[in-house]
Amino acid sequence: MELAIKNKEDNLKAIISLKDEEIDRLKDFKSKQSTKMVGESLEVYCMNQFNQIRSFAFPTAYFEKDNDAKSGSKGDFIFRDYVDKDEFISIMFEMKNEVDTTTTKHKNEDFFKELDKDRREKNCEYAILVSLLEADSDLYNTGIVDVSYRYEKMYVIRPQFFIQMISLLRSAALNAASYKKELSEIKNQNIDISNFEASLNDFKDKFGRNYRIASEKFNKAIDSIDDTIRKLQKIKEDLLSSENNLRLANDKAEELTVKKLVKNNPTMKALFEEAKKQD
């Protein structure tokens, strides 16, 4: 038992010694790094973490350094992912770290305003601060902290939750994109139905209008025909009346004789008798 206990004590001492050596090594490493190198080492860590699973976990994603500083500032990384070439999620990342010997310690909230500004200027939906600042904070050491109460859609995470955070937001956005697509299809169906009803109503209105115009013209044509018939009837009556007068005139002409013509005209009677004698 004493030997076993001694072996365990030796093992624990060896483990503690290794831990102490690792801590000393890391402290020495960080002390030799400049502030810029410390920050860049966190960026390299996140980039390596992402690239290790990029091909199978995020095959359609864009994850690159933000090199656009036209507005005077820029974030560290921008993540975007797509479904059928349509973007469904975008994240602006800022990585913050500092050496332990820094006299003026920064707080995470010191970078919220600038990160939110970068998110809006680069048209990103989310903003995430990957931070090793405030190492003793119980709040930030929980791993993922939602600070949307300060700035919309903003989170502060420790580096070990970098991939998990992307996966969580991406999964939620992917589901939302699916719902949006279904909703869009339903809206399009409703729009199609509305368009059909509008087209039908438009056809009915135009048909009714054309029917009224055609009916009015038809009635006018009927009235015009009736008027023409009345005129033709009058002409017919006038022609029949003329025919009767011509018949009477013809009868009178046929009854006309020389004797009747000269009956009451002595001069004409004398001339006819004279002509008769000459013949």
Side-chain angles (χ1 to χ4, degrees), residues 144-182:
I144 298 175
V145 179
D146 184 352
V147 292
S148 298
Y149 61 90
R150 292 286 305 278
Y151 293 93
E152 183 184 10
K153 294 187 174 183
M154 182 179 291
Y155 298 88
V156 180
I157 66 172
R158 293 307 190 195
Q160 61 266 33
F161 294 97
F162 175 69
I163 295 298
Q164 289 89 329
M165 192 63 190
I166 294 177
S167 299
L168 285 172
L169 293 180
R170 182 181 179 277
S171 296
L174 194 58
N175 290 333
S178 176
Y179 295 141
K180 286 179 182 178
K181 184 177 181 181
E182 291 178 7

Side-chain angles (χ1 to χ4, degrees), residues 200-210 212:
L200 181 61
N201 291 331
D202 183 61
F203 170 77
K204 288 165 67 176
D205 291 341
K206 289 180 179 179
F207 181 83
R209 178 175 174 275
N210 292 336
R212 287 193 300 274

Side-chain angles (χ1 to χ4, degrees), residues 72-126:
S73 66
K74 62 184 181 66
D76 285 327
F77 288 94
I78 293 177
F79 172 87
R80 301 184 190 275
D81 208 348
Y82 305 84
V83 172
D84 298 329
K85 296 183 179 180
D86 294 326
E87 181 182 302
F88 70 93
I89 185 173
S90 56
I91 307 172
M92 169 64 71
F93 284 99
E94 182 76 20
M95 282 68 174
K96 288 299 175 184
N97 192 11
E98 62 186 2
V99 295
D100 295 334
T101 57
T102 304
T103 55
T104 304
K105 298 291 185 181
H106 287 98
K107 293 184 177 181
N108 289 313
E109 63 183 34
D110 296 340
F111 303 96
F112 290 173
K113 184 177 181 180
E114 192 70 18
L115 176 56
D116 183 68
K117 176 175 174 286
D118 293 335
R119 176 185 76 85
R120 295 178 185 277
E121 289 180 348
K122 303 303 168 58
N123 296 318
C124 292
E125 184 178 2
Y126 295 97

Side-chain angles (χ1 to χ4, degrees), residues 2-153:
E2 290 177 355
L3 183 60
I5 291 172
K6 189 175 184 307
N7 287 335
K8 284 196 173 185
E9 288 177 350
D10 292 341
N11 289 335
L12 288 173
K13 287 179 180 179
I15 293 172
I16 291 171
S17 177
L18 289 173
K19 291 289 184 182
D20 290 340
E21 289 177 4
E22 180 67 14
I23 290 170
D24 291 338
R25 187 186 68 81
L26 290 173
K27 285 183 177 180
D28 181 63
F29 172 73
K30 292 184 70 175
S31 66
K32 291 179 179 178
Q33 285 186 309
S34 65
T35 302
K36 183 174 184 296
M37 290 176 64
V38 170
E40 288 179 349
S41 65
L42 182 57
E43 293 178 16
V44 171
Y45 168 83
C46 291
M47 176 62 86
N48 290 339
Q49 288 288 306
F50 187 87
N51 286 336
Q52 286 175 8
I53 61 172
R54 181 197 288 260
S55 60
F56 60 88
F58 310 108
T60 60
Y62 167 94
F63 181 73
E64 300 295 339
K65 286 279 293 181
D66 179 17
N67 295 316
D68 184 3
K70 290 185 293 187
S71 62
S73 66
K74 62 184 181 66
D76 285 327
F77 288 94
I78 293 177
F79 172 87
R80 301 184 190 275
D81 208 348
Y82 305 84
V83 172
D84 298 329
K85 296 183 179 180
D86 294 326
E87 181 182 302
F88 70 93
I89 185 173
S90 56
I91 307 172
M92 169 64 71
F93 284 99
E94 182 76 20
M95 282 68 174
K96 288 299 175 184
N97 192 11
E98 62 186 2
V99 295
D100 295 334
T101 57
T102 304
T103 55
T104 304
K105 298 291 185 181
H106 287 98
K107 293 184 177 181
N108 289 313
E109 63 183 34
D110 296 340
F111 303 96
F112 290 173
K113 184 177 181 180
E114 192 70 18
L115 176 56
D116 183 68
K117 176 175 174 286
D118 293 335
R119 176 185 76 85
R120 295 178 185 277
E121 289 180 348
K122 303 303 168 58
N123 296 318
C124 292
E125 184 178 2
Y126 295 97
I128 296 179
L129 178 64
V130 183
S131 172
L132 285 172
L133 305 180
E134 300 184 64
D136 298 328
S137 170
D138 292 334
L139 173 63
Y140 293 113
N141 285 337
T142 58
I144 298 175
V145 179
D146 184 352
V147 292
S148 298
Y149 61 90
R150 292 286 305 278
Y151 293 93
E152 183 184 10
K153 294 187 174 183

